């Protein structure tokens, strides 16, 4: 009978589902999800952490904060979450998945242009109209929300050719010289200083972006997660963040 | 013979993994349907944002299909009738976009048509034309990714079609164009239709190459899949509603084709 075969298949499926649980004796991996703009700084901090914790490896997952928050709220196995906006962190706290989120850094926006500044961009005012092709983040993601806030504060407007899903996409388009200008965080400009030129925005400090870090409630290694957060908020992590261009929280 | 009975007679080592495979493929789709906001579906789907994305998706995917038909059928004919194009390397080249990660396809398109790309540089410096971030770029990205479906389907049909009809027509004095139009095309017509529909479906779902090569701007380059991704950041239920629409369209296409793709038409 077909029904019998289906029952056997269902049992096999359950057996498969059960074999993925950790046995506890293997090497421990700490899963850290962090906003794209933290790529360089958190990679260095993770190296420090692994040096201090033999046998522990840190798995870093960088993406747009909203996508990371979405993953955590959907039950992804994440121990530490660091977002580039307090709003995004709020969606995780509201879902009951964040343990004590705390600010650890700030970032400000800047204009990046391809090396040599071919379009002659000198400030935000040059980014309106169709002469200068500009890439910015979509307003739905933190860097885009910060861009919108900055434009509102300065009264300037930008005519973008693309609203990208994360800040690294904007930067990549400037590095590839496919756009004349992009609005990114100063930390992104600092990390690619050899490939792009920076045109600072004097008013950028009026709309800083807060970075928050938290342990995820379902973390399988809460003590390690807290250790990692202590490293980020402590002198070592803060020095790494300052070197990358982040401001104090 | 009763089909269910035939399935039941399969040994367990075929039946069990087979059923697991069905569950593996069906569960994500069921999950999506289960989370869909059915109550507010109509309102979500008729919002200005969604309609703009839907319109853009329809026009670009149809344009990409037209490009694929106009270029792909001659290519399929060359692959089966010409020694130079019949080699394995052409087949590999045609198959490549099928297995290439779409994002890589987008980067490759930038390397070709971006303003620092092989052809794009000539266009930009000679004529001031920039293709990325335009609707044309969306059509190019979709055609690049979707054309293989048409070419491979039509090529398969040409290979299995009976060449004696063409030879008979030629013997009776028909010119080459007449033979192609009156004999070859009608013979492979159903496969062209199947290949074109499949190509259109793939173009409709294109995401990675489009985002990388064309960018994402409402009304110009933000097609349905890109709108789904953008919506995921603010409104999960809207993203799921859009996904369900794309899913339903795909299912309708596949059911309509009844397996006539990639193998050509079986008679």
């Amino acid at each position: 009978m077909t029904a019998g075969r289906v029952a056997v298949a269902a049992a096999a499926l359950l057996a498969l589902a059960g074999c993925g649980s950790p046995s506890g004796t293997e090497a421990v991996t700490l899963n850290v999800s962090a906003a794209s703009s933290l790529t360089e700084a958190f990679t260095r901090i993770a190296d420090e952490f692994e040096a201090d914790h033999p046998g522990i490896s840190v798995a870093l997952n960088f993406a747009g904060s909203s996508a990371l928050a979405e993953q955590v709220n959907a039950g992804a196995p994440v121990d530490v979450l660091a977002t580039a906006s307090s709003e995004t962190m709020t969606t995780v706290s509201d879902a009951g998945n964040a343990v004590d989120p705390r600010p650890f850094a700030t970032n400000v926006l800047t204009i990046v242009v391809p090396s040599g500044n071919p379009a002659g961009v000198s400030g935000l005012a040059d980014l309106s109209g169709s002469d200068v092709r500009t890439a910015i983040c979509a307003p739905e993601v933190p860097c885009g929300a910060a861009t919108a806030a900055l434009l509102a504060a300065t009264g300037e407007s930008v005519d973008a050719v693309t609203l990208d899903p994360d800040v690294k996409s904007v930067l990549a388009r400037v590095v590839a010289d496919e756009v004349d200008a992009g609005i990114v965080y100063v930390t992104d400009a600092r990390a690619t200083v050899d490939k792009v030129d920076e045109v600072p925005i004097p008013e950028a400090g009026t709309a800083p972006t807060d970075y928050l870090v938290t342990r995820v409630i379902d973390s399988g290694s809460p003590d390690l997660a807290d250790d990692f957060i202590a490293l980020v908020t402590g002198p070592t992590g803060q020095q790494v963040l300052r070197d990358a261009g982040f401001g104090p929280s | 013979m009763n089909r269910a009975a035939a399935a039941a007679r399969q040994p367990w080592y075929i039946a069990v993994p087979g059923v697991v495979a069905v569950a593996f493929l069906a569960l994500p789709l069921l999950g999506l349907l289960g989370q869909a906001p059915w109550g507010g579906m109509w309102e979500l789907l008729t919002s200005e944002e969604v309609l703009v994305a839907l319109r853009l998706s329809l026009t670009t995917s149809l344009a990409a299909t037209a490009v694929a038909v106009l270029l792909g059928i001659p290519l399929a004919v060359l692959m089966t009738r010409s020694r130079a194009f019949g080699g394995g390397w052409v087949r590999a080249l045609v198959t490549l976009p099928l297995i290439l990660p779409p994002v890589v396809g987008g980067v490759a398109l930038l390397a070709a048509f971006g303003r620092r790309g092989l052809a794009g540089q000539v266009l930009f410096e000679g004529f001031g034309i920039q293709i990325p971030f335009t609707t044309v770029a969306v059509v190019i990205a979709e055609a690049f990714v979707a054309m293989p479906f048409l070419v491979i389907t039509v090529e398969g049909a040409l290979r299995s079609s009976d060449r004696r009809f063409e030879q008979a027509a030629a013997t009776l004095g028909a010119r080459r164009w007449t033979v192609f139009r009156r004999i070859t095309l009608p013979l492979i017509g159903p496969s062209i239709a199947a290949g074109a529909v499949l190509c259109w479906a793939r173009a409709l779902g294109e995401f990675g190459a489009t985002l990388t090569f064309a960018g994402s701007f409402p009304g110009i380059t933000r097609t349905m899949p890109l709108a789904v991704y953008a919506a995921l950041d603010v409104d999960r239920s809207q993203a799921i509603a859009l996904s369900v629409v794309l899913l339903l369209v795909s299912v309708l296409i596949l059911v309509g084709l009844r397996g006539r793709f990639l193998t050509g038409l079986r008679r």
Side-chain angles (χ1 to χ4, degrees):
Chain A
M1 270 305 292
T2 332
R5 302 284 185 191
V6 171
V8 170
L13 198 62
L14 287 174
L16 278 175
C19 67
S21 51
S23 58
T25 53
E26 301 150 26
V28 177
T29 300
L30 190 69
N31 291 303
V32 177
S33 285
S36 301
S37 43
L38 291 166
T39 303
E40 290 79 15
F42 265 44
T43 303
R44 281 186 56 192
I45 292 175
D47 288 344
E48 297 273 352
F49 188 82
E50 285 174 345
D52 289 353
H53 297 75
I56 313 286
S57 71
V58 178
L60 293 163
N61 173 26
F62 297 107
S65 297
S66 319
L68 295 174
E70 173 80 14
Q71 288 168 8
V72 166
N73 284 339
V78 175
D79 298 298
V80 175
L81 171 71
T83 66
S85 92
S86 44
E87 286 81 5
T88 314
M89 188 59 88
T90 306
T91 66
V92 181
S93 309
D94 287 353
N97 292 322
V99 183
D100 183 28
R102 66 189 90 158
F104 67 95
T106 56
N107 210 344
V108 294
L109 295 170
T110 190
I111 300 170
V112 282
V113 295
S115 289
N117 195 358
V121 174
S122 62
L124 275 180
D126 294 335
L127 303 185
S128 62
S130 56
D131 293 347
V132 176
R133 299 189 136 205
T134 308
I136 61 175
C137 288
E140 293 87 2
V141 293
C143 57
T147 304
L150 176 66
L151 292 175
T154 56
E156 300 284 355
S157 70
V158 165
D159 293 310
V161 291
T162 179
L163 310 175
D164 283 330
D166 62 64
V167 68
K168 293 294 178 192
S169 305
V170 173
L171 189 67
R173 296 196 198 281
V174 179
V175 170
D177 194 13
E178 287 299 335
V179 293
D180 301 312
I183 298 182
V184 299
Y185 293 117
V186 290
T187 51
D188 300 305
R190 178 107 24 126
T192 45
V193 73
D194 50 333
K195 298 186 191 110
V196 298
D197 290 349
E198 189 183 343
V199 179
I201 305 171
E203 309 89 340
T206 57
T209 302
D210 292 317
Y211 281 62
L212 278 81
V213 63
T214 187
R215 164 156 66 86
V216 176
I217 197 124
D218 289 333
S219 167
S221 323
D223 294 340
L224 281 173
D226 285 343
D227 278 3
F228 188 87
I229 293 168
L231 182 63
V232 169
T233 53
T236 311
Q238 289 295 304
Q239 188 55 50
V240 171
L241 288 160
R242 270 325 86 71
D243 291 346
F246 287 95
S249 56
Chain B
M1 188 196 295
N2 185 325
R3 284 186 191 185
R9 273 204 304 276
Q10 296 298 322
W12 67 269
Y13 51 83
I14 296 291
V16 173
V19 172
V20 170
V22 168
F24 172 64
L25 294 173
L27 266 180
L29 304 181
L30 288 176
L32 198 60
L33 292 176
Q35 289 195 0
W38 296 107
M41 198 78 160
W42 184 248
E43 213 167 304
L44 282 169
L45 294 181
T46 49
S47 74
E48 180 66 20
E49 253 178 283
V50 173
L51 289 179
V52 165
L54 196 58
R55 201 176 304 134
L56 183 70
S57 265
L58 287 177
T59 50
T60 54
S61 58
L62 287 173
T65 307
V67 169
V69 167
L70 288 176
L71 301 179
I73 294 174
L75 173 57
V77 173
L78 276 183
M79 285 170 72
T80 48
R81 306 282 195 256
S82 144
R83 193 166 288 172
F85 282 78
W89 65 273
V90 177
R91 189 160 243 280
L93 193 66
V94 169
T95 320
L96 207 53
L98 280 180
I99 52 173
L100 210 61
V103 177
V104 177
V107 173
L109 286 170
L110 275 177
F113 302 110
R115 66 181 183 184
R116 293 282 165 267
L118 286 174
Q121 195 162 9
V122 179
L123 285 174
F124 178 54
E125 279 161 17
F127 307 95
I129 297 171
Q130 299 186 55
I131 295 175
F133 313 114
T134 62
T135 306
V136 173
V138 178
V139 176
I140 292 176
E142 291 177 350
F144 179 78
V145 173
M147 192 155 77
F149 286 94
L150 180 107
V151 176
I152 291 173
T153 310
V154 174
E155 193 221 351
L158 281 169
R159 281 199 195 285
S160 59
S161 77
D162 195 338
R163 293 210 62 184
R164 283 175 301 179
F165 292 112
E166 294 174 358
Q167 285 155 2
T171 315
L172 294 171
R175 287 169 188 276
R176 294 174 83 172
W177 169 244
T178 311
V179 173
F180 181 70
R181 196 168 52 91
R182 301 289 295 274
I183 308 291
T184 314
L185 275 186
L187 273 178
I188 58 168
S191 294
I192 292 176
V197 170
L198 201 69
C199 168
W200 175 65
R202 179 64 188 88
L204 200 61
E206 216 304 304
F207 172 77
T210 308
L211 180 61
T212 310
F213 179 55
S216 171
F217 198 88
I220 297 174
T221 54
R222 185 173 286 174
T223 54
M224 283 284 278
L226 272 65
V228 171
Y229 195 67
L232 209 49
D233 283 325
V234 270
D235 188 350
R236 197 181 147 83
S237 60
Q238 188 180 10
I240 291 174
L242 290 172
S243 309
V244 168
V245 172
L246 282 173
L247 178 68
L248 291 181
V249 170
S250 310
V251 168
L252 285 177
I253 288 169
L254 291 178
V255 169
L257 284 175
R258 286 191 297 267
R260 277 185 190 171
F261 48 88
L262 296 181
T263 53
L265 184 69
R266 291 210 191 90
R267 269 166 292 208

